[in-house]
Amino acid sequence: DDLSQKSSNVTIVTGPAWGDGTLVFSVLAGVNQPFDILYIFVDGVERDRLTAMTTEFQTEKVELAPGPHAITWSYKTNPEPLEVFPPVPVGRMGAVFIDDVYFLPGGATIAPAAGPVVELPVVSDVDVGSTAPSPSPKSPTSSVESPTAKPSVDPTKSPSSVKTGTSSPNTEPTTGPTYMPSSWNPTAFEATTAPVPDGAVYYDGFEGATFPDDPEWSNAGDAPWELTTEQAASGTYSIRSPDLSNEQITPRSSNVTLTYGNASFDGGTLVLSVSAGVELPIDDLSYFVNGIPAGQMAGQYGGFETMELPLDPGTNEVTFRYRFNPNGLDGLQPSSPNHTGAVFIDDVYIVPSSVATDEFFDGFETGDFSALDWSVIGEEEWTVDETNPYEGVYSAHVRTEDISASGEYSQLDLNVDLPAAAFVQFYFYAPVADPFERFDLRVDGQFLRGLSTEDETWAEGGAFLPSGPHVVSWRLARNPEGVPDAALEAVVPLPFRTGEAWLDNVALLGATPSFLEMWESGDFSANPWVLSGDGDWMITDSRAYEGTNSATISSQDMEVDSGVSELSIAIITEQGGKLTFFVLPSVSGPFEEGNVLLDNIKVATYSSPRSDWMAQEIDIQPGKRKVTFQFAKNPGNVD
């Protein structure tokens, strides 16, 4: 009654040995902004918020990286806070209910069956401010170790070196998204030499101990890079940046350059392993291809990461620049425990364009299976027809009623031979249901996942394939469990079931190389960005963390009273990687908020204005991932 702002938190803690996966739970959020709100935090970072009342339980998911995490549900009253409330909505509940909490390891797609479950410590009275939640003294005793978790993205902290300035009202600019594939080698410090990759036209693991005298490499700057045995991705040796620190904190830099190619070189990909223990504003690593910025590493990185850089035809110069005090500050903050002040490079090789994966696409517009290496096994019931295409005129189609008997199947196979890892993407429409039939995706004869749709919309599917020959299969099986006919006739089919499956727009997509987006093109054409929603992002030169431009969106650019505008990019990776970016939020809830989504799940939220740019980083898991920068106007749809 006194409109005081209050909160109550409950936290669940995962153990240090847990792998990546998804925490799934059911929630009934009887909240109404501005009266109350439910926040969801992971390691102190807001992942989601529920602001509108629901009358039924709904399923929510939180993606988790490997290791210990603290997931907190925070219920808060009068979150803004307001001095006067609007009229109370009819049926207002003012309570939150949580049930059926379970963890799905990476790769699992179904809820656990009834049986023994892992007991997780549930913790109340937890501070979810700028640091990760930690158990209070009232935590129950548990055999699961309680971690001291660290936020993977902390919207409340930013390097002291970032440029300051006041952003225009209600804008959410971002600058310099940088993606770098990664490959953590658990035997990185064992003295084993990496084999020369197939098709490589150049390789240097530095095991000859001839650096810096190798003709392809050159040094420049205040001190040279040198051969070292401190760290190695494989074997014994790598090269490392010099120690440029000094008591006067004078800015210094050192470059190492690889020069390769000639008139007969048709272009390709430079692949190398990098371990960069750098941290802004103390130091950083930037890399350039033929003088053009290709990326930056400015945070703490654990272990070696695999970097891929595209090379042009002819001669290429790839430069790695290590800088101490790159912003010329008068004082530097204390470094974090992970900061080593050194960069290590190892296992450098070049794969020519002729070895790169040839992407393909088949929308079956030939009217048959002739465009790719297709074949049908089992009963030959797959056809190409015009009954229900995703796009165009044709799609591949199979029906349960055309399969002769229970236990039989018809399987459409696609044979591929990949020189490099790639992602097979496709669209399907499959209103099928057990026990009548089952439609599934297989790779090399192994079941990968079931495919089904319950409404009249198509769904996207896919699978990541390593290099080498593979068979990708789509199988429709009739009564695969062999249910007796009499029992099967007694089963009432679900309303959506038609017992058919359609397949369309099958494509092979190559892995995403490293990139640095500084928006210098003046548009979104340099990388495969997708704009969607109720307003368009644009390029502006009014604010930039580095360079001239940044990407921005404002409430004024959206004509609707409540809506979202999104800037998205798809990243395809075999080993995973990191996406780093700088963001300057000038937003204020409940009027607007900024979100970063990974596969449509919030991983960061900004709801208050900042005067400084913030360095942010997202872990990208293997596979095809979608990263979305979202601006939400009036997200609570307040009148």
Side-chain angles (χ1 to χ4, degrees), residues 441-449 462-466 470-473:
L441 173 68
R442 297 166 182 252
V443 174
D444 299 330
Q446 301 297 314
F447 173 84
L448 194 61
R449 62 179 61 92
F464 205 96
L465 305 177
H470 299 284
V471 180
V472 185
S473 307

Side-chain angles (χ1 to χ4, degrees), residues 326-362:
N327 297 292
L329 302 180
D330 295 330
L332 295 176
Q333 65 187 30
S335 63
S336 70
N338 291 330
H339 178 254
T340 62
V343 177
F344 299 85
I345 295 176
D346 201 1
D347 292 339
V348 182
Y349 64 92
I350 295 174
V351 180
S353 297
S354 58
V355 181
T357 298
D358 292 327
E359 298 184 354
F360 61 66
F361 174 86
D362 193 355

Side-chain angles (χ1 to χ4, degrees), residues 359-369 371-372 374 382-385 388-397 412 414 423-429 439 441 458-463 472 474 501-509 624:
E359 298 184 354
F360 61 66
F361 174 86
D362 193 355
F364 303 104
E365 294 307 297
T366 59
D368 53 28
F369 293 112
L372 299 174
W374 294 102
W382 277 90
T383 62
V384 174
D385 59 33
N388 187 21
Y390 174 71
E391 284 183 341
V393 177
Y394 296 99
S395 63
H397 180 207
L412 180 63
L414 175 61
F423 186 83
V424 172
Q425 175 182 285
F426 57 90
Y427 290 85
F428 66 96
Y429 177 53
F439 186 50
L441 173 68
W458 286 69
E460 179 183 319
V472 185
W474 293 264
W502 287 266
L503 178 70
D504 206 354
N505 286 16
V506 180
L508 184 72
L509 308 176
K624 183 186 178 190

Side-chain angles (χ1 to χ4, degrees), residues 214-303:
D214 302 319
E216 297 86 1
W217 292 91
S218 60
N219 271 304
D222 294 309
W225 288 58
E226 58 190 19
L227 193 71
T228 182
T229 59
E230 292 178 51
Q231 292 188 27
S234 67
T236 303
Y237 294 99
S238 66
I239 61 173
R240 64 155 287 166
S241 60
D243 182 3
L244 300 180
S245 62
N246 59 91
E247 294 183 358
Q248 296 77 24
I249 63 170
T250 302
R252 292 178 178 175
S253 67
S254 175
N255 299 345
V256 64
T257 299
L258 171 66
T259 303
Y260 181 85
N262 50 44
S264 62
F265 180 61
D266 293 329
T269 303
L270 174 69
V271 185
L272 65 151
S273 296
V274 180
S275 175
V278 294
E279 176 184 359
L280 277 174
I282 302 171
D283 52 3
D284 72 348
L285 173 71
S286 300
Y287 37 100
F288 306 79
V289 177
N290 300 321
I292 300 175
Q296 181 187 41
M297 298 174 72
Q300 299 81 38
Y301 292 79

Side-chain angles (χ1 to χ4, degrees), residues 93-163:
M93 186 181 302
V96 175
F97 300 84
I98 297 174
D99 201 0
D100 294 340
V101 182
Y102 61 89
F103 178 78
L104 287 178
T109 58
I110 59 174
V117 297
V118 176
E119 291 293 337
L120 295 174
V122 178
V123 185
S124 297
D125 300 332
V126 175
D127 178 12
V128 290
S130 60
T131 59
S134 57
S136 73
K138 294 187 290 184
S139 303
T141 303
S142 171
S143 60
V144 180
E145 180 180 351
S146 297
T148 303
K150 296 182 179 180
S152 56
V153 180
D154 189 345
T156 69
K157 299 181 180 179
S158 63
S160 61
S161 66
V162 295
K163 300 177 182 179

